[in-house]
Amino acid sequence: MTITEIQDQIVDEFSMFDDWMERYEYIIELGKKLPLINEEFKTDDNIIKGCQSKVWLKGEQNNDIIVFTADSDAILTKGIIAILIRAFSNQKAADILAADMGFIDEIGLKEHLSPTRANGLVSMIKNIKMYALAFESKN
């Protein structure tokens, strides 16, 4: 699936919920389903700076596809990174760099987060894009 198709799925899923408490619960559920990051990647090098809680993100290139794994010590934040990994993992670096981030506004995520969590979200996206840029420049 393309990034846009995955983002559209995410928007559709969030539109099923009437209020933000249900959406928060859904985000938490997504976090619980996030595959565990390998413990060896829980290092300071992989911590996303700018997040209120600890978030580890690791990107690895497999052929021309980037695979992301992540974890967080906060359950809501873990759900947020799970959404981003779903959208951007198993994609080509160029596609990640070219991706529109409008789906985040469509689901209303940024406006329903505290300012520190919204900053963390921006930092997560920035780190995903930085991995893509680093891998694309290798090719």
Side-chain angles (χ1 to χ4, degrees):
M1 289 182 79
T2 68
I3 292 172
T4 303
E5 289 169 338
I6 295 166
Q7 290 174 341
D8 288 346
Q9 268 187 350
I10 293 168
V11 170
D12 287 346
E13 289 166 14
F14 273 81
S15 70
M16 292 188 292
F17 302 108
D18 294 328
D19 64 49
W20 261 93
M21 286 313 295
E22 291 176 340
R23 290 179 183 197
Y24 286 132
E25 288 173 21
Y26 183 60
I27 293 170
I28 289 168
E29 282 305 308
L30 292 173
K32 288 178 181 176
K33 294 176 184 172
L34 183 67
L36 293 177
I37 191 171
N38 211 327
E39 284 297 316
E40 70 185 82
F41 298 139
K42 284 190 172 182
T43 63
D44 288 346
D45 289 344
N46 293 326
I47 286 184
I48 296 178
K49 312 289 187 269
C51 285
Q52 176 181 331
S53 47
K54 286 188 178 178
V55 179
W56 297 271
L57 177 70
K58 177 71 175 159
E60 295 182 296
Q61 194 169 30
N62 187 356
N63 296 321
D64 61 344
I65 300 296
I66 300 176
V67 178
F68 291 103
T69 55
D71 196 6
S72 175
D73 62 355
I75 192 66
L76 185 64
T77 307
K78 191 171 182 172
I80 294 167
I81 194 70
I83 292 168
L84 296 176
I85 284 180
R86 180 172 161 198
F88 300 110
S89 194
N90 299 304
Q91 301 291 336
K92 293 180 180 179
D95 294 338
I96 294 169
L97 291 170
D100 182 351
M101 295 296 164
F103 84 106
I104 291 167
D105 292 330
E106 280 187 65
I107 63 176
L109 188 55
K110 206 184 290 186
E111 70 188 71
H112 286 91
L113 294 175
S114 66
T116 52
R117 282 227 165 87
N119 288 340
L121 171 64
V122 171
S123 294
M124 290 178 214
I125 293 167
K126 185 174 149 190
N127 274 261
I128 288 170
K129 295 263 187 178
M130 284 174 30
Y131 267 111
L133 189 61
F135 287 132
E136 186 179 55
S137 64
K138 280 184 179 179
N139 296 337

